[in-house]
Amino acid sequence: MQIHGIPVNLKLNSTVLMIASFVISVVAGLIFGFAGVGRGVYVTMYTVGMAYLKLLFLLALPLVFLNLVFGVMQRVQLQSDRSSPARLCFFHSIAVVGAAILGLAAGGITGSSMIPATFAGFADFGLRWLRPLVPWLLFLSVLIGAAAAKIGPEGEEARRMISSLADVTAFAGTLWLRILPVGLFFLLCPMIGVRGLAVLWPGVKLVLVTAFCCVAYGVLVYGYQLHHCGRDCPMHFLRNFKSVLLQAFAVCSSGSGEGDALRSLWRMGIAEETGRTAWHCGKLLGKTGTVLYLGIACMLAVRYVGMPVSVHSGVGFFVWILLFSMAGMKYRGGGLYCVLVLLFMIGLPMRAAVPLLVFEWLLDGCRSALNSAAAGTGAYLADKLGWMLPLRK
């Protein structure tokens, strides 16, 4: 289909199903509330919804660990073969740090006050014995990824196996998200039946804050950097790259439009080899959308359940968010799976993830679009400012 004349591969089935599930859940919840449906019906529905969320979380653990190993392996290989200039890597690294700070600040400032739990008895992740081990498993994943990249030719088979396992688990996560409309109905309907439309406010605020911060960061940070290439460069970049951004937002994946992105960069006068090298570097290092989403979601979830936040915990959130940004997520739902592991690791109840689940399709679209904007901007700057020249020589 086309949006304002721009061809976009919009997956109408999943999008329509999510919108329909949301509307049906709200309407059914209001009807149940007015009809005075018994608490037993609500508890049964909520239990089914929490079962879906818990399975989503159980899938998130191996998915995040394996993709973190794969992402670190790719980063170390990128530095070893020196295929990308140091200035481009530095640009993406600084942008990611800035996005993490903005996300935590925005989430902390706009976080909602505590909202009473609808069904507190069904709101625990479980696996309490595993929680203290998660930080160590994350650091172990980083170590394994670095070792797999550094071991040399004899580790080629291990690298292929890690890449395959990461792709399989990520695709399994994508498959499980296809029945998200069903899980959303069983979660949202009883919550609205008991608490009314007020339960939607934390999720709505999360979407609004995330969308505003993504747009603001893209315009103020990347627009300002593009302005160094010339006064008309920001609009020139947007005119040629907006189809890629819409594609990333529509399919909730920044890795699906690589061909369109390279063609857009070529139309802007960037050589194919230069564009491909810089684009791959940006997709690996420029996870600004991911860290921005993680920061906002983490702080809003903490405020949602009424957990106090100190400077010490804020610094911890910052470190973990940067660590999660190393994961090589390239499928839909990458941000949601990272948030689930992060919430579990810091000890929040499972109900803190419900607002994220309700609007996951919008949040993931914003995250993917900003990631694509970061990769495209890095490629544009690398070509126009001559960052790739030392490599060409």
Side-chain angles (χ1 to χ4, degrees), residues 39 43 46-47 50 54 117-124 350-351:
R39 182 176 176 83
V43 170
Y46 197 74
T47 303
M50 277 296 171
K54 181 162 287 190
T118 307
F119 303 98
F122 301 90
D124 191 12
M350 196 179 347
R351 63 184 174 89

Side-chain angles (χ1 to χ4, degrees), residues 205-217:
K205 180 180 285 189
L206 175 61
V207 171
L208 294 177
V209 173
T210 303
F212 174 79
C213 289
C214 286
V215 173
Y217 200 82

Side-chain angles (χ1 to χ4, degrees), residues 24-367:
I24 292 172
S25 301
V26 172
V27 173
L30 293 175
I31 293 175
F32 286 178
F34 285 123
V37 174
R39 182 176 176 83
V41 176
Y42 292 140
V43 170
T44 302
M45 295 181 66
Y46 197 74
T47 303
V48 174
M50 277 296 171
Y52 173 82
L53 181 55
K54 181 162 287 190
L55 287 173
L56 200 69
F57 158 70
L58 292 175
L59 180 59
L61 290 173
L63 189 151
V64 170
F65 291 145
L66 284 171
N67 279 273
L68 183 57
V69 173
F70 179 61
V72 172
M73 184 179 70
Q74 286 185 309
R75 286 169 177 257
V76 174
Q77 288 178 328
L78 181 69
Q79 294 178 353
S80 299
D81 59 22
R82 302 183 183 275
S83 59
S84 297
R87 293 186 64 179
L88 180 59
C89 298
F90 180 75
F91 165 76
H92 286 304
S93 300
I94 293 299
V96 165
V97 172
I101 295 173
L102 174 62
L104 290 171
I109 293 173
T110 61
S112 302
S113 59
M114 181 177 179
I115 297 178
T118 307
F119 303 98
F122 301 90
D124 191 12
F125 280 105
L127 300 177
R128 296 183 180 180
W129 60 270
L130 181 61
R131 183 173 294 144
L133 299 177
V134 171
W136 301 107
L137 290 174
L138 291 174
F139 285 123
L140 182 61
S141 300
V142 173
L143 178 61
I144 293 174
K150 286 288 189 179
I151 194 172
E154 57 270 23
E156 185 63 31
E157 184 176 350
R159 287 191 287 269
R160 285 198 301 267
M161 183 183 69
I162 292 172
S163 177
S164 299
L165 288 174
D167 286 341
V168 168
T169 55
F171 187 68
T174 302
L175 291 178
W176 190 239
L177 284 177
R178 289 182 181 178
I179 61 172
L180 178 58
V182 178
L184 175 62
F185 173 78
F186 284 101
L187 278 174
L188 190 57
C189 181
M191 292 176 63
I192 292 179
V194 174
R195 296 291 179 183
L197 294 176
V199 299
L200 296 177
W201 175 236
V204 172
K205 180 180 285 189
L206 175 61
V207 171
L208 294 177
V209 173
T210 303
F212 174 79
C213 289
C214 286
V215 173
Y217 200 82
V219 172
L220 298 179
V221 175
Y222 293 131
Y224 175 76
Q225 294 296 327
L226 289 170
H227 189 73
H228 287 305
C229 299
R231 178 177 297 181
D232 298 330
C233 286
M235 292 306 302
H236 177 241
F237 175 82
L238 182 60
R239 281 194 303 268
N240 288 277
F241 214 71
K242 59 183 177 181
S243 62
V244 179
L245 302 181
L246 285 173
Q247 178 83 352
F249 178 83
V251 302
C252 300
S253 174
S254 55
S256 61
E258 179 176 337
D260 292 337
L262 295 179
R263 284 190 292 272
S264 297
L265 293 173
W266 180 80
R267 286 196 299 269
M268 289 184 281
I270 300 175
E272 182 179 357
E273 181 181 355
T274 300
R276 180 177 290 105
T277 301
W279 172 261
H280 288 166
C281 177
K283 297 308 299 177
L284 187 60
L285 303 180
K287 300 290 185 67
T288 51
T290 299
V291 298
L292 188 63
Y293 166 52
L294 289 176
I296 296 173
C298 176
M299 292 302 294
L300 282 177
V302 166
R303 298 290 301 277
Y304 176 65
V305 300
M307 178 180 175
V309 180
S310 62
V311 176
H312 181 267
S313 59
V315 173
F317 296 159
F318 175 75
V319 173
W320 295 124
I321 287 171
L322 293 182
L323 185 63
F324 278 115
S325 70
M326 297 182 183
M329 299 289 192
K330 55 183 179 181
Y331 292 98
R332 179 189 170 190
L336 176 63
Y337 286 116
C338 289
V339 169
L340 289 176
V341 176
L342 181 59
L343 297 185
F344 169 72
M345 188 172 60
I346 62 181
L348 294 186
M350 196 179 347
R351 63 184 174 89
V354 174
L356 309 177
L357 203 66
V358 172
F359 296 100
E360 184 273 339
W361 50 292
L362 287 173
L363 296 170
D364 213 26
C366 295
R367 177 189 69 86

